[in-house]
Amino acid sequence: MRIIFKKNAGETERKALLKALAQALPGCVPARVPGGLVVTLSSPARAGETLPRLENLPGVAAVSLSDQELCPLACAAGYKLFSKPLDFSSRKPVFIAGPCAVEEEESYLASALALKTAGAQALRAAVFKPRSSPYAFQGLGWPALKIIAKAKKLTGLPLVTETTDTRQVERLAETCDILQIGARNMRNYELLKETARSGRTVLLKRGMRATLREWLLSAEYLLKFGAAKLILCERGDSANLPGTPLLDLRLMAAARKLTGLPVLADPSHASRDRSVAASLALKALRAGADGLLIEASLSPETARVDGRQTVTVETFRALRTIINRL
Ligand code: PEP
Ligand code: MN
């Protein structure tokens, strides 16, 4: 913890601060540095609770916490890479593929089988779609659960589905192996808690324009409330302004290093363009991504949602082959 004194803070205020620190954070070790204090904490988990009291004391200009103090679980970096329901332990890239949403049984099952043959290790199986427009296709909802269960039986692949509401979590967790928290819900803390409690592996996307810290804090929620297995996924900022990177690969690499968790890249939502998605996928893997979450199907041209950014199974297969050779 770093505390910066106000320029006009006198000795009385500095002493009062030391007293408050000793009371609020017993066992902490403050050391004077020019302009303030560096405090070594015995229990970083309590620091977040104490911070508002400390920064409110006269004489204090600012109090800040390191990533490790703010997110002790997410920044533990000591996680053993798991092998189930997806195998990250071999450190080979992992591919989760499928259409943006489940739209209809026959086409979904055909794509699922074709993607398995082409090398997918898990299926995108979205039944609820959080859409920016209330007029856009919202996903089939619960009727799609039967379809994805069939796909699981048919392919033997684990299912990744997005949960958009706390009331969906329990039922989705019965069928699905990995619950996805989408970019729009990265800051939905009640949803994070409920999803963590389900006991399923969680895939957490970075929210649009979210900082590394905000992403780590959401990961911290999941770990604190019971998620034993967590996957992060960088999906870009969606702004696509000229000159802005489609994926933030620096931030992705930093998240990997700080957390030790597997970090995937989503070149589909980042590029919103299938002619760019495959090359972006390669770029992300070269930058260290542990795998991809990619939209792929047999018929992107007729999709009700995100067809423009969905690659064909052929492209997916080609991508898989290139990566196998890397
Ligand atoms: C998705 O992966 O289906 C999705 C909706 O992506 P995002 O949350 O990144 O927009
Ligand atoms: Mn999509």
Side-chain angles (χ1 to χ4, degrees):
M1 175 187 278
R2 199 166 246 284
I3 300 176
I4 315 274
F5 295 140
K6 278 186 186 154
K7 286 218 162 42
N8 59 0
E11 204 46 39
T12 326
E13 283 150 336
R14 292 174 193 219
K15 278 197 179 135
L17 170 63
L18 287 172
K19 202 169 152 200
L21 265 175
Q23 269 172 3
L25 297 167
C28 74
V29 184
R32 288 206 182 213
V33 293
L37 295 174
V38 170
V39 186
T40 309
L41 305 170
S42 57
S43 160
R46 283 184 61 182
E49 225 178 282
T50 314
L51 191 142
R53 277 169 55 202
L54 297 177
E55 69 182 5
N56 199 20
L57 289 172
V60 173
V63 183
S64 62
L65 296 173
S66 68
D67 293 329
Q68 284 75 7
E69 287 163 342
L70 207 54
C71 311
L73 301 173
C75 294
Y79 296 100
K80 217 171 135 245
L81 287 175
F82 46 87
S83 56
K84 274 189 176 149
L86 275 173
D87 187 9
F88 291 101
S89 65
S90 64
R91 293 215 164 261
K92 289 198 185 123
V94 165
F95 290 75
I96 305 171
C100 180
V102 178
E103 297 183 13
E104 184 273 319
E105 178 168 329
E106 204 180 319
S107 60
Y108 183 74
L109 296 182
S111 287
L113 268 179
L115 287 166
K116 170 164 181 169
T117 311
Q121 287 121 308
L123 295 172
R124 285 182 53 94
V127 306
F128 294 105
K129 292 303 304 173
R131 305 303 306 281
S132 302
S133 163
Y135 304 109
F137 175 56
Q138 308 279 310
L140 293 181
W142 292 121
L145 207 53
K146 266 204 210 132
I147 304 176
I148 61 173
K150 273 191 194 166
K152 184 170 171 172
K153 211 163 159 205
L154 201 64
T155 61
L157 294 180
L159 303 173
V160 182
T161 203
E162 178 162 354
T163 171
T164 58
D165 188 308
T166 51
R167 290 164 295 183
Q168 298 160 358
V169 172
E170 197 178 344
R171 194 161 162 206
L172 286 175
E174 284 167 16
T175 306
C176 302
D177 306 84
I178 299 176
L179 297 179
Q180 176 174 322
I181 302 288
R184 287 161 189 78
N185 276 312
M186 188 206 82
R187 299 179 181 92
N188 183 340
Y189 304 112
E190 292 310 315
L191 183 61
L192 294 174
K193 290 183 203 170
E194 192 64 15
T195 307
R197 289 188 196 110
S198 74
R200 286 296 189 190
T201 301
V202 184
L203 187 154
L204 173 67
K205 288 197 151 188
R206 182 171 70 85
M208 289 167 241
R209 287 175 280 284
T211 62
L212 177 59
R213 274 230 163 153
E214 288 175 292
W215 196 15
L216 292 177
L217 281 163
S218 293
E220 188 75 10
Y221 263 97
L222 289 164
L223 295 166
K224 177 165 163 41
F225 284 88
K229 293 177 184 176
L230 180 57
I231 304 164
L232 301 178
C233 180
E234 160 59 11
R235 52 85 75 215
D237 290 318
S238 195
N240 284 7
L241 299 170
T244 41
L246 300 178
L247 284 168
D248 195 330
L249 297 175
R250 277 224 328 245
L251 197 143
M252 181 191 82
R256 249 182 120 237
K257 194 165 167 210
L258 262 170
T259 65
L261 294 165
V263 185
L264 304 180
D266 173 351
S268 312
H269 293 91
S271 67
R272 300 162 79 193
D273 181 344
R274 84 171 74 101
S275 71
V276 178
S279 58
L280 189 60
L282 283 172
K283 223 171 140 185
L285 290 165
R286 288 199 183 103
D290 295 286
L292 301 176
L293 175 72
I294 185 165
E295 290 182 339
S297 82
L298 284 171
S299 48
E301 69 289 348
T302 57
R304 291 173 77 182
V305 47
D306 285 352
R308 197 185 121 84
Q309 69 197 33
T310 302
V311 298
T312 60
V313 175
E314 270 326 299
T315 304
F316 176 75
R317 191 194 320 276
L319 189 61
R320 198 73 180 85
T321 311
I322 297 171
I323 289 151
N324 283 347
R325 288 204 207 107
L326 286 182

